[in-house]
Amino acid sequence: MKKRVAILISGRGSNMMALVEAARAPDYPAEIVSIIASRPDAAGLAWAKAQGLPTVAVDHKSYATREAFDETVHAALVEARTDLIALAGFMRIQSAAFVQKWQGRQLNIHPSLLPLFKGLHPHKQALDAGVKISGCSVHFVTEEMDSGPIIAQAAVPVLDGDTPETLAERILVAEHKLYPHALALVASGRAILDGGRVRSGSTASRADGLFSPQL
Ligand code: GRF
């Protein structure tokens, strides 16, 4: 049985597109059952509608509290019989109650090699730190932002002359490969949450969660 996945977005939704495209393969272990946007004008929402995907806009501005917003999102997820959530550029901090309800079933992508450069402006943080390799990470969501157990990571070189924009563009190419891979690992049971860490299922290669650039 394919896992039923809802994707939560706030903006352009390029990672959502990569997941939707990947899930079109007949042997992909997950299907995309809902796209939920925190902004009705999110560019990704228009794309999803044009694809004929089920979409829901939950305008965060219409909710007085974080909890009320989260409850509406939760109801939409239940309505879509969601097994797994993929956050893809979803710019809302979630309430503890929501995170707990979806513990171990919610994934996020962040454009750095976590635990480095959490939070806002990770590309600028990487450049300011002078690292030669950055990348992206897919992790399970926990209450602390960008801090949950890591499922898979891709390394991306930082080049002389990079700006936050050029580095973001290079990392984004890797994100679009890594996220479908990581979601497939979780959906197929090849990545298993075990305490605070993610381990490979018995048939998986130990390198399943790792991508490296060619040197
Ligand atoms: C990506 O860089 C993602 O890692 C971060 O926000 C950005 C979203 O981009 N969390 P998109 O909306 O998927 O194009």
Side-chain angles (χ1 to χ4, degrees), residues 24-95:
R24 288 194 170 126
D27 60 348
Y28 195 78
E31 60 181 316
I32 309 305
V33 296
S34 183
I35 307 293
I36 301 176
S38 64
R39 301 170 53 121
D41 61 349
L45 195 60
W47 181 89
K49 277 186 196 153
Q51 301 291 309
L53 292 163
T55 60
V56 184
V58 184
D59 188 352
H60 70 93
K61 293 201 187 104
S62 314
Y63 294 86
T65 64
R66 196 179 295 295
E67 286 72 20
F69 171 81
D70 284 352
E71 271 168 32
T72 304
V73 172
H74 179 74
L77 291 164
V78 171
E79 169 83 25
R81 290 185 288 122
T82 304
D83 296 315
L84 295 170
I85 300 171
L87 302 183
F90 185 66
M91 298 304 286
R92 308 304 305 168
I93 292 170
Q94 298 172 328
S95 59

Side-chain angles (χ1 to χ4, degrees), residues 11-16 88-89 91 108-111 123 172 175-176:
R12 74 187 155 180
S14 70
N15 278 290
M16 167 202 70
M91 298 304 286
N108 181 46
I109 187 159
H110 184 74
H123 310 99
L172 194 64
E175 290 184 48
H176 295 162

Side-chain angles (χ1 to χ4, degrees), residues 72-183:
T72 304
V73 172
H74 179 74
L77 291 164
V78 171
E79 169 83 25
R81 290 185 288 122
T82 304
D83 296 315
L84 295 170
I85 300 171
L87 302 183
F90 185 66
M91 298 304 286
R92 308 304 305 168
I93 292 170
Q94 298 172 328
S95 59
F98 183 94
V99 172
Q100 274 156 25
K101 275 185 214 154
W102 293 94
Q103 189 93 42
R105 295 189 291 155
Q106 186 167 213
L107 285 62
N108 181 46
I109 187 159
H110 184 74
S112 74
L113 289 178
L114 292 172
L116 289 173
F117 316 138
K118 296 173 183 177
L120 292 176
H121 311 302
H123 310 99
K124 181 173 184 305
Q125 291 187 52
L127 292 176
D128 288 349
V131 295
K132 297 297 184 195
I133 296 182
S134 190
C136 45
S137 309
V138 177
H139 64 94
F140 283 110
V141 175
T142 53
E143 278 176 50
E144 201 185 326
M145 208 209 301
D146 301 327
S147 296
I150 295 166
I151 300 159
Q153 294 185 302
V156 174
V158 178
L159 304 182
D160 289 353
D162 262 341
T163 63
E165 291 72 30
T166 60
L167 180 59
E169 212 176 302
R170 192 173 313 114
I171 292 177
L172 194 64
V173 175
E175 290 184 48
H176 295 162
K177 292 184 192 149
L178 185 71
Y179 212 170
H181 173 77
L183 178 61

